[in-house]
């Protein structure tokens, strides 16, 4: 089974997720600058989630790049990841409309945590399908980012009940960790060619 | 006519269907855990429909893989399938918002039944277009899953009027039957290569 | 300029148009069969528009199949067509919610007429870009369907003010004319190969 | 890294942006011509934004056509552009529902300005990645359109507070400048082949 349709379907779902979130930013009735003020937390939530979906799309792109073929279990591991990501518009909306209250912040973190877990499972399925000498396995290496992220998520979820802003800081931190360009896969691919 | 655009269009429609369903999960006004409680049936409906669309995408992927070219009748048989699947967000929403009452449960089953019928018709069109020695025909074989599913749908639709949960159990059962990896097409393709 | 992205973008827009229309079918609050009754005209409108978008996608697919390369003017002629088609969810919603009243029926016809005109202009741009011996020109031939459709649209628009049902009959008639498989392009392509 | 998925994802996002804007045109309750009147500014806003997204898609198509491979920084520069474009449905809705008042007109211009800046940054990233003899660099040349547009945006944003219509005129002017076919890239590609 070739991977073309898996990529196309994932691109479609991610493109829709990233775009329908903007529908949560409801057009205000007034036409003054002050009418935009209640939208600030909603806009900040949108920005954070946009970056998260962007990171997932980017990493998904790199990960699938190492795969030649996909098996049935990879298809389902991918759908599992898309399921958790599909809930991001909902938790983004809840977080934004409630000004970063405890419960919405915690739920946002739980969905991020589940998405990270689903990503990890997808990664494992692809590595297993590639057998020994898996390019992806080499590229992932010790996977420090992948191991730190869920820990920060867990701490942030707990911190939600102390302060929504503290939890938000944790989610921003993970996003920043991943925004730093991930040269691993590009480097390994290059080495493999040499 | 090549099949590239048929796959791209179907992927697009399925990606949108699977994603817009999440818009039915309306962001609650409160920010407590109890504010999420009314959303549980809506979430469960979403989960079930997500899995169904995933199964259809997966099987569609495998089925089209066996086809080299598509004729006009295949294009329309495919649109017919997409039509019934496009109604799934509506029936999912109705089912979720009414806590699995009789009529919404029955309608959900009717749409699933019509989608299954449309899938069967599409399968037939592709087999006919492949002529004798159709790879898809070999792969489908006795098509036990394809024959059992509509029977369970029919029983579940009738059972809706006894108990919504009974009907729901039937729909979950069919999903589970299909989630068990379908090795048929992969196996036949392998045999053909040997 | 290759045509790959033109097709991908058009597929995306058409897939979204055909799917967001279903959002107009609002989930009713009640859970009885009678709660679905007000949705019947909305459902019929959806069905008709689904078939129209399907026909456009199908014909677009065939038309682009004859084109090897696309120039800037073809890109814009295509966007012009997508613009009118993008209004179909709106006019479908208006028509459905107003039980086929005069003005919504007329506006539906006007949008169909403009889409047909845009399709004709796109067809001309592709034929001109192909120069003499245009495959598409041969395939289109006398373009009887393409000439009859706008006439029926015009009559139906006028008929809207007598009876919404009469106009609706006209729109259904045009859809039926196009649903009859269009063998022209497939035939010409075959002849060209011989 | 090949550019296929970058194009597919961008096409998906742009296709969704261009299409969900139509959801802002809410179906009116009445069925008379006069019920459409309040929709005129919303429709005009939609038309302008449709053309802008069309221009961006068109130019994006041409720009990426010159790129063979894309690096990590190009992926993020592209997501940055998509972020600003994703806000267009929101500012379009605000502008349309407030009949071209000062603040919505200014915000529309600010989003257009940021999108233009993001496009410029993406262009720079691709030129840098192509090294010397960059085809895109030759094609862009003095980039007069690219330099005039932000100036007109800035003037229009300021003009919003005098007259919304004046600002609107500025945005229409920029759209017209870009609608004039941009032969630069096509010409340079041709010269390169010779």
């Amino acid at each position: 089974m070739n991977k073309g349709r898996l990529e196309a379907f994932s691109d479609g779902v991610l493109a829709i997720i990233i775009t329908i979130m903007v529908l949560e930013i409801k057009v205000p009735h007034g036409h003054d600058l002050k009418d935009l003020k209640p939208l600030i937390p909603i806009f900040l939530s949108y920005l954070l989630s946009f970056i998260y979906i962007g990171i997932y799309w980017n990493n998904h792109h790199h990960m699938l790049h190492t795969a030649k073929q996909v098996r049935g279990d990879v298809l389902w591991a991918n759908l599992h990841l898309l399921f958790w990501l599909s809930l991001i518009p909902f938790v983004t909306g809840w977080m934004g409309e409630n000004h970063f209250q405890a419960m919405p912040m915690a739920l946002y973190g739980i969905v991020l945590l589940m998405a990270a877990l689903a990503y990890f499972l997808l990664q494992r399925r692809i590595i297993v399908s590639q057998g020994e000498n898996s390019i992806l396995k080499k590229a992932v290496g010790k996977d420090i980012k992948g191991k730190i992220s869920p820990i920060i998520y867990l701490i942030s979820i707990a911190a939600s009940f102390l302060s929504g802003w503290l939890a938000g800081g944790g989610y921003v931190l993970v996003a920043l960790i991943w925004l730093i360009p991930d040269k691993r896969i590009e480097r390994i691919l290059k080495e493999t060619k040499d």
Side-chain angles (χ1 to χ4, degrees), chain A:
Chain A
M1 295 288 138
N2 73 63
K3 66 180 176 177
R5 281 193 75 181
L6 178 73
E7 292 184 330
F9 185 71
S10 306
D11 282 350
V13 170
L14 292 175
I16 298 157
I17 290 172
I18 216 168
T19 322
I20 61 171
M21 281 192 298
V22 92
L23 296 176
E24 258 328 300
I25 313 181
K26 297 284 190 321
V27 172
H29 289 295
H31 54 77
D32 291 328
L33 198 56
K34 67 171 171 47
D35 297 310
L36 291 181
K37 218 187 141 193
L39 297 177
I40 292 172
I42 295 171
F43 178 76
L44 291 177
S45 308
Y46 173 61
L47 179 59
L48 181 61
S49 295
F50 190 97
I51 291 169
Y52 263 109
I53 300 290
I55 289 167
Y56 270 103
W57 176 74
N58 221 322
N59 290 345
H60 193 269
H61 179 150
H62 280 74
M63 182 162 65
L64 264 292
H65 194 71
T66 68
K68 291 241 153 42
Q69 295 208 313
V70 291
R71 302 188 311 193
D73 59 344
V74 172
L75 295 183
W76 279 106
N78 189 59
L79 276 167
H80 179 232
L81 171 61
L82 295 179
F83 175 74
W84 290 107
L85 294 178
S86 81
L87 295 178
I88 284 187
F90 171 74
V91 290
T92 302
W94 203 37
M95 181 169 79
E97 286 189 19
N98 286 287
H99 299 245
F100 313 115
Q101 292 278 346
M103 196 53 72
M105 289 311 279
L107 192 69
Y108 189 81
I110 290 167
V111 169
L112 286 182
L113 183 66
M114 295 308 292
L117 181 69
Y119 188 85
F120 175 78
L121 291 174
L122 174 57
Q123 194 172 267
R124 283 240 49 87
R125 286 297 90 205
I126 294 174
I127 287 173
V128 167
S129 77
Q130 290 178 334
E132 288 183 55
N133 305 315
S134 157
I135 297 172
L136 182 57
K137 193 177 178 181
K138 283 185 204 160
V140 167
K142 292 185 184 169
D143 196 14
I144 296 170
K145 287 182 183 182
K147 282 171 189 157
I148 287 177
S149 304
I151 296 170
I152 304 179
Y153 288 147
L154 281 171
I155 296 171
S156 303
I157 292 165
S160 302
F161 299 95
L162 292 172
S163 155
W165 292 98
L166 209 66
Y171 306 146
V172 169
L173 180 66
V174 175
L176 289 176
I177 289 173
W178 286 98
L179 274 174
I180 299 162
D182 197 342
K183 300 287 188 195
R184 294 177 305 180
I185 291 174
E186 295 186 33
R187 183 169 41 75
I188 296 288
L189 278 171
K190 218 176 163 183
E191 285 172 11
T192 317
K193 278 181 190 159
D194 298 342

